[in-house]
Amino acid sequence: MAIITEVKVDLFRLPLPEPIEASAAGVMSAFDMVAARVTDSDGVMGMGYTVCHAGQGGSIAALIDGPFREILMGEDPDLIEGLWCRMYKACHYAGRGGPVSFALAAVDVALWDMKGRRLSQPLWRLMGGAQQMVKAYAGNIDLNFPVEKLVAGGLASVEMGFHSVKMRFGRPTLREDLARADAMRDALPDEIEMMADANEAWRVDEAMRAMRDLQRFDLVWLEEPISPDNFEGYRHLRAYGGVPLAAGENLHTLAEFATLIGVGGVDHPEPDLTTCGGYTPFLKVAKLAEANGLPVMSHGAHDLHIHCLAASPNASYLEWHMFGLDKFMANPLTVQDGYATAPDRPGHGVDFDWEQLGAYRV
């Protein structure tokens, strides 16, 4: 039996191709990436990573380098569920979300990747294998762009092969948001789907008013119109707002998803494995959604999420962020005719150029 013999942690601060803005986060010019590489006694190495806003990666890296390393060393790397639970419980008092979930994500993904590489199987097959192709949408972050640039970005996404395009709300007035939505809808071909993300910009009453005016756009969904943990607010909006709702990227535990889904507050649950603890909890959220007759989609990290969506029969959309991380990968994922195809390489199939990334190590 192989045992874990090494846990290596790296923190990188990566510049974005250009500054972007979302209502909840403000203007962002860079992001932190924490990468975990776990090696076993047979020499098999698995890699996982998580991302967060610039300046926030240090605490995540410290959790992996400290308490998580102590738990992992000398253990059987195939016992992923057991190791996940031990790490979670070790930080339970100060955790149940936040940096703990981000740190769990990097390690959990590394352990899954190690298992796939050891068995020479892609993760989407090991996880169950539902369909190799997953519908993808362009998750444009464009709140700070003028209308002309907003529209140009949407059309560029269509040229790249996307059939579904998202834009951002949260300008100072609803009138501005609606004018931008009109410009985007007029510019996009009729067959291209449109969705929108408010990034927590509104109160419940403001969201209700906005949703009334947004019905004419036939959005696939409106994402995070209010604070992510206002579960009763989501229930109210879903019951009376008239526009399908998406939420979940800012939920960090299975219990939070159970609450949101349980109150009937969401049409499109949107877990992010980099924020909710990795593949292990993501797959549980997907099954929870399936049991409640709901689809499941992803947020960010498309190269990792493609596997758990390809393993979920209720998968709907893979979000695609153009953050510039692809340039550090040997075989970045691509989109063709609106779909991404899960790779057949062992593990998750992501291989970073560590020498190139080294220039951004913190």
Side-chain angles (χ1 to χ4, degrees):
M1 179 189 76
I3 61 171
I4 295 172
T5 57
E6 184 181 27
V7 178
K8 181 175 175 56
V9 188
D10 290 292
L11 170 59
F12 305 97
R13 187 154 300 150
L14 301 168
L16 291 166
E18 65 178 320
I20 53 178
E21 180 180 9
S23 179
V27 177
M28 299 165 281
S29 58
F31 65 97
D32 282 3
M33 182 179 81
V34 179
R37 283 178 275 179
V38 181
T39 305
D40 68 15
S41 52
D42 290 333
V44 180
M45 189 271 287
M47 184 278 294
Y49 73 86
T50 187
V51 293
C52 59
H53 294 167
Q56 299 177 8
S59 61
I60 297 167
L63 281 167
I64 301 171
D65 210 25
F68 288 3
R69 179 195 300 278
E70 292 179 12
I71 291 169
L72 293 167
M73 292 296 289
E75 296 296 327
D76 181 347
D78 279 340
L79 303 183
I80 298 174
E81 184 77 41
L83 290 171
W84 193 98
C85 289
R86 286 177 60 190
M87 289 184 287
Y88 181 85
K89 289 179 180 178
C91 298
H92 179 266
Y93 191 58
R96 302 194 307 283
V100 173
S101 289
F102 283 77
L104 277 167
V107 174
D108 183 76
V109 170
L111 293 174
W112 273 100
D113 185 42
M114 179 187 289
K115 175 173 277 193
R117 290 174 187 265
R118 182 185 302 110
L119 298 176
S120 298
Q121 287 290 314
L123 291 187
W124 67 274
R125 288 188 179 272
L126 286 181
M127 293 173 177
Q131 62 278 316
Q132 190 169 7
M133 296 177 66
V134 178
K135 197 171 187 178
Y137 79 90
N140 303 312
I141 300 181
D142 46 34
L143 190 61
N144 56 321
F145 294 175
V147 172
E148 296 77 13
K149 189 171 182 177
L150 165 76
V151 169
L155 293 175
S157 295
V158 174
E159 286 295 314
M160 288 178 61
F162 292 95
H163 293 178
S164 309
V165 174
K166 190 168 79 176
M167 61 172 292
R168 286 305 196 280
F169 291 152
R171 300 288 290 184
T173 68
L174 178 59
R175 185 185 300 273
E176 290 179 76
D177 283 329
L178 294 172
R180 290 162 68 86
D182 274 320
M184 181 70 96
R185 185 66 274 178
D186 289 344
L188 293 176
D190 291 343
E191 68 274 12
I192 300 300
E193 298 176 319
M194 194 168 97
M195 48 276 282
D197 191 344
N199 289 115
E200 312 167 43
W202 302 316
R203 301 187 308 263
V204 173
D205 62 306
E206 293 171 327
M208 185 67 73
R209 178 174 172 235
M211 292 169 78
R212 179 194 65 198
D213 290 330
L214 290 171
Q215 290 184 33
R216 72 175 187 267
F217 295 104
D218 193 27
L219 298 174
V220 180
W221 68 71
L222 172 65
E223 188 174 337
E224 283 199 323
I226 59 176
S227 174
D229 50 7
N230 186 353
F231 301 124
E232 280 299 315
Y234 275 98
R235 182 199 61 76
H236 181 79
L237 291 177
R238 188 177 182 226
Y240 302 108
V243 179
L245 291 178
E249 71 182 70
N250 283 297
L251 302 184
H252 303 311
T253 66
L254 180 62
E256 290 177 316
F257 279 98
T259 301
L260 178 62
I261 292 173
V263 301
V266 67
D267 297 283
H268 294 268
E270 185 193 19
D272 181 337
L273 67 83
T274 71
T275 75
C276 74
Y279 284 128
T280 296
F282 186 104
L283 293 170
K284 294 176 182 180
V285 174
K287 291 302 182 187
L288 177 64
E290 183 182 10
N292 284 272
L294 297 173
V296 67
M297 61 181 185
S298 64
H299 170 263
H302 50 265
D303 48 288
L304 299 180
H305 279 118
I306 184 68
H307 291 278
C308 41
L309 290 178
S312 301
N314 58 325
S316 58
Y317 291 87
L318 173 77
E319 184 178 37
W320 198 286
H321 277 166
M322 288 115 180
F323 282 179
L325 193 55
D326 286 3
K327 68 183 180 182
F328 300 106
M329 298 178 186
N331 297 285
L333 205 61
T334 60
V335 169
Q336 291 185 333
D337 200 23
Y339 285 81
T341 302
D344 281 319
R345 298 184 297 278
H348 49 52
V350 176
D351 290 303
F352 282 128
D353 182 337
W354 297 104
E355 183 176 352
Q356 187 182 4
L357 273 172
Y360 304 96
R361 183 176 282 108
V362 176

